[in-house]
Short mmCIF file of all heavy atoms in Angstrom, two decimals:
data_model
loop_
_atom_site.label_atom_id
_atom_site.label_comp_id
_atom_site.label_asym_id
_atom_site.label_seq_id
_atom_site.Cartn_x
_atom_site.Cartn_y
_atom_site.Cartn_z
N PRO B 512 -19.68 15.62 -24.72
CA PRO B 512 -19.02 16.21 -25.89
C PRO B 512 -18.32 15.17 -26.74
O PRO B 512 -18.21 15.33 -27.95
CB PRO B 512 -18.00 17.17 -25.29
CG PRO B 512 -18.36 17.35 -23.88
CD PRO B 512 -19.13 16.16 -23.47
N VAL B 513 -17.87 14.09 -26.10
CA VAL B 513 -17.18 13.05 -26.84
C VAL B 513 -18.13 12.38 -27.83
O VAL B 513 -17.78 12.10 -28.97
CB VAL B 513 -16.58 12.01 -25.87
CG1 VAL B 513 -15.94 10.87 -26.63
CG2 VAL B 513 -15.55 12.67 -24.98
N ILE B 514 -19.39 12.17 -27.38
CA ILE B 514 -20.36 11.51 -28.26
C ILE B 514 -20.62 12.34 -29.52
O ILE B 514 -20.71 11.81 -30.62
CB ILE B 514 -21.67 11.23 -27.50
CG1 ILE B 514 -21.39 10.19 -26.41
CG2 ILE B 514 -22.74 10.71 -28.44
CD1 ILE B 514 -22.55 9.92 -25.53
N THR B 515 -20.66 13.68 -29.37
CA THR B 515 -20.93 14.51 -30.55
C THR B 515 -19.87 14.35 -31.62
O THR B 515 -20.18 14.42 -32.80
CB THR B 515 -20.98 16.02 -30.22
OG1 THR B 515 -20.15 16.25 -29.10
CG2 THR B 515 -22.37 16.48 -29.97
N VAL B 516 -18.61 14.17 -31.22
CA VAL B 516 -17.59 14.10 -32.27
C VAL B 516 -17.42 12.69 -32.81
O VAL B 516 -16.69 12.49 -33.76
CB VAL B 516 -16.22 14.63 -31.79
CG1 VAL B 516 -16.32 16.09 -31.44
CG2 VAL B 516 -15.67 13.82 -30.67
N ILE B 517 -18.12 11.72 -32.23
CA ILE B 517 -17.98 10.35 -32.74
C ILE B 517 -18.49 10.26 -34.17
O ILE B 517 -17.90 9.56 -35.00
CB ILE B 517 -18.72 9.35 -31.81
CG1 ILE B 517 -17.95 9.26 -30.50
CG2 ILE B 517 -18.88 7.99 -32.47
CD1 ILE B 517 -17.34 7.96 -30.18
N GLY B 518 -19.57 10.99 -34.50
CA GLY B 518 -20.11 10.98 -35.86
C GLY B 518 -19.06 11.36 -36.89
O GLY B 518 -18.72 10.57 -37.77
N PRO B 519 -18.51 12.60 -36.78
CA PRO B 519 -17.43 12.98 -37.70
C PRO B 519 -16.22 12.04 -37.62
O PRO B 519 -15.57 11.80 -38.63
CB PRO B 519 -17.04 14.38 -37.23
CG PRO B 519 -18.24 14.89 -36.52
CD PRO B 519 -18.94 13.72 -35.94
N ALA B 520 -15.97 11.48 -36.44
CA ALA B 520 -14.82 10.58 -36.31
C ALA B 520 -15.03 9.32 -37.14
O ALA B 520 -14.09 8.84 -37.77
CB ALA B 520 -14.61 10.20 -34.85
N ILE B 521 -16.27 8.82 -37.17
CA ILE B 521 -16.56 7.66 -38.02
C ILE B 521 -16.23 8.00 -39.47
O ILE B 521 -15.62 7.22 -40.19
CB ILE B 521 -18.03 7.24 -37.86
CG1 ILE B 521 -18.26 6.66 -36.47
CG2 ILE B 521 -18.42 6.23 -38.93
CD1 ILE B 521 -19.70 6.35 -36.17
N ALA B 522 -16.61 9.24 -39.86
CA ALA B 522 -16.33 9.66 -41.23
C ALA B 522 -14.84 9.62 -41.51
O ALA B 522 -14.40 9.05 -42.51
CB ALA B 522 -16.86 11.08 -41.45
N SER B 523 -14.06 10.19 -40.61
CA SER B 523 -12.63 10.27 -40.92
C SER B 523 -11.98 8.90 -40.83
O SER B 523 -11.05 8.60 -41.58
CB SER B 523 -11.94 11.26 -39.97
OG SER B 523 -11.83 10.71 -38.70
N ILE B 524 -12.49 8.05 -39.97
CA ILE B 524 -11.89 6.72 -39.85
C ILE B 524 -12.23 5.86 -41.06
O ILE B 524 -11.36 5.22 -41.64
CB ILE B 524 -12.33 6.03 -38.54
CG1 ILE B 524 -11.43 6.51 -37.42
CG2 ILE B 524 -12.25 4.51 -38.66
CD1 ILE B 524 -11.48 5.72 -36.16
N THR B 525 -13.49 5.88 -41.50
CA THR B 525 -13.83 5.00 -42.62
C THR B 525 -13.10 5.41 -43.90
O THR B 525 -12.68 4.55 -44.67
CB THR B 525 -15.34 4.95 -42.89
OG1 THR B 525 -15.84 6.26 -42.74
CG2 THR B 525 -16.03 4.00 -41.96
N THR B 526 -12.98 6.74 -44.14
CA THR B 526 -12.27 7.11 -45.36
C THR B 526 -10.77 7.06 -45.16
O THR B 526 -10.04 6.76 -46.09
CB THR B 526 -12.69 8.51 -45.87
OG1 THR B 526 -12.69 9.38 -44.77
CG2 THR B 526 -14.02 8.45 -46.54
N GLY B 527 -10.31 7.36 -43.94
CA GLY B 527 -8.87 7.29 -43.68
C GLY B 527 -8.37 5.86 -43.68
O GLY B 527 -7.18 5.60 -43.71
N GLY B 528 -9.33 4.93 -43.65
CA GLY B 528 -8.97 3.52 -43.57
C GLY B 528 -8.17 3.02 -44.73
O GLY B 528 -7.42 2.07 -44.59
#
Side-chain angles (χ1 to χ4, degrees):
Chain B
V513 176
I514 294 175
T515 28
V516 297
I517 290 245
I521 290 174
S523 73
I524 276 194
T525 40
T526 46

